[in-house]
Amino acid sequence: MPKVCILAAGIGSRNKCIKGLHKALLPLNNKPVISHIIDSFSQNVEIIIALGYKQKQLFSYLKKVHFSKNITYVTVDNFDKPGSGPGYSLYQCKKYLQEPFIFTSVDTLLDEFPVRVSDNWIGTSNIDEKKSSSYCLVSVDNEIVKDFFYGSGNLAFVGAAGVKDYKTFWDSLEKTLLSVKEVQVIPALQSLTNIKAVNTVWYDTGNIESYYNAKKVYNNDIVAPKNNETIFLDNNLVIKYFSNS
């Protein structure tokens, strides 16, 4: 089973449904998104989690609930200034990922995460073309990715990928760190050859509208969250969060 890197350092400004709560902890069925992601993989998989924004909040939850999992935590030194971004967060985890690996953003929830690294792949999903401006899009020919682009289209990159050719990936990502803007993972993915597009059932929890769409599927809350507090029922534990300390 390859290592899995979860990128959870960003501010998550597009979704603040529950006041003061890290986006990774937004609940679906009274369980945070990040727990759904972690539980998608086998018990003994090695997981690396990039922390930044509200890292103490997220770390305290994960250490309490997922104490039995093999998790390494990496503190990202720049998560909200020029030069930050998912690409930078991933690069901070490089020393733990010197082998083929899987990475995913923390607001990417899939019905089933592909677990192979026998090839380079990205997760894709069909979307409403009217909303395509919010996503990185891909063009595909015979299941092979031909291009990443922004604009209008109906096939999106979901934010999860498997990297077989990790040395090429890291070399390319390192060159993008010179950017003074947000560092993305796309240039590094573009350096790989024969990337397979894996169609997925995707629930994007990164913005308010798509999060509430996900809640229509994960609709078995025992206790409904409020906009300033919520109850988690996770790994046989009951944890309550209040925005007011």
Side-chain angles (χ1 to χ4, degrees), residues 40-55:
S40 295
F41 301 99
S42 62
Q43 172 70 23
N44 60 349
V45 66
E46 186 174 348
I47 297 174
I48 294 88
I49 300 179
L51 301 176
Y53 177 69
K54 289 188 178 292
Q55 62 177 304

Side-chain angles (χ1 to χ4, degrees), residues 117-232:
V117 283
S118 55
D119 52 11
N120 300 305
W121 61 266
I122 63 165
T124 60
S125 186
N126 293 100
I127 59 170
D128 184 345
E129 190 166 350
K130 295 178 181 177
K131 301 175 182 178
S132 61
S133 62
S134 300
Y135 299 104
C136 175
L137 307 173
V138 295
S139 60
V140 174
D141 182 22
N142 196 27
E143 297 187 336
I144 299 299
V145 175
K146 294 302 180 184
D147 192 21
F148 295 86
F149 65 97
Y150 293 89
S152 180
N154 56 19
L155 189 65
F157 167 50
V158 303
V163 179
K164 176 187 177 184
D165 300 323
Y166 63 96
K167 291 182 179 179
T168 300
F169 180 88
W170 291 127
D171 287 346
S172 177
L173 186 58
E174 186 170 17
K175 294 174 184 176
T176 70
L177 299 182
L178 300 174
S179 170
V180 296
K181 298 180 180 179
E182 188 176 44
V183 180
Q184 298 292 340
V185 298
I186 303 303
L189 288 172
Q190 288 174 317
S191 71
L192 304 177
T193 58
N194 295 323
I195 306 173
K196 187 168 184 181
V198 179
N199 198 44
T200 63
V201 179
W202 174 38
Y203 305 104
D204 174 20
T205 62
N207 64 71
I208 293 174
E209 180 182 2
S210 59
Y211 171 63
Y212 279 115
N213 285 335
K215 286 177 69 66
K216 293 175 183 177
V217 178
Y218 292 83
N219 57 5
N220 292 320
D221 285 331
I222 296 174
V223 182
K226 301 177 183 178
N227 64 1
N228 62 351
E229 63 181 63
T230 190
I231 290 179
F232 299 106

